[in-house]
Amino acid sequence: AGWNRKKNENEKFRRLKDTELHIIQGGANGEIDQFKYVNELYEAQKDILVGKDGKIKLLESELMRLRKSAGMQIPFVDISSEARANYDNLISLSYAPTIVTDFSKTDTIPVFEVKWKKEAKRVDTEKDAKKLSGWLKLRLKNDKIQLREVAD
């Protein structure tokens, strides 16, 4: 009652004139135990959330890796059919992404390997290899593509 009277009499507290001050003191042990319980629950939930944030970051990075990997996938059946139709001397075509490092950075390079007919003229296979390499880069929209010739 003293605080309520003082705020009404003192000009400094005129903005508080129509308010009432009630002080509720938690003296019972049960209230303290409830506070401790709520605080422990809060801390436990906070730890769970931090753990979930870590898992989310890990999953996001894995998703980015998989998306990048999916970007390296090619429509091999279509590519090989088109290549076969366009290059008479071609007897086989293979594809594999190759991981390459210069020990400061690592990159994945799409590598195609070709086999030409034995009776094909070397000048023709060299010309076809250059043309095939350019076509693969254009068709797959990737300038990193490498073409390697495989001998029998």
Side-chain angles (χ1 to χ4, degrees), residues 33-97:
D33 290 342
Q34 280 182 332
F35 175 75
K36 284 181 183 178
Y37 172 74
V38 169
N39 192 39
E40 287 172 6
L41 186 62
Y42 168 77
E43 290 298 325
Q45 293 300 318
K46 188 171 81 172
D47 290 343
I48 289 171
L49 286 175
V50 168
K52 286 183 179 183
D53 284 347
K55 286 179 185 175
I56 289 170
K57 285 180 183 176
L58 176 68
L59 291 171
E60 285 175 341
S61 68
E62 182 65 11
L63 180 61
M64 290 299 289
R65 187 188 68 76
L66 290 172
R67 282 185 179 157
K68 185 176 180 182
S69 175
M72 295 300 294
Q73 299 299 317
I74 62 154
F76 185 74
V77 172
D78 294 342
I79 293 294
S80 59
S81 296
E82 292 172 30
R84 181 66 186 121
N86 290 313
Y87 300 93
D88 293 333
N89 291 322
L90 186 63
I91 58 172
S92 76
L93 179 69
S94 62
Y95 163 77

Side-chain angles (χ1 to χ4, degrees), residues 121-144:
K121 294 179 182 174
R122 184 70 187 145
V123 69
D124 291 336
T125 59
E126 285 176 354
K127 186 174 91 176
D128 283 349
K130 187 174 181 179
K131 188 176 171 185
L132 178 59
S133 177
W135 173 75
L136 286 169
K137 289 176 182 179
L138 180 66
R139 172 73 163 74
L140 299 172
K141 298 176 179 76
N142 189 338
D143 288 336
K144 293 181 181 180

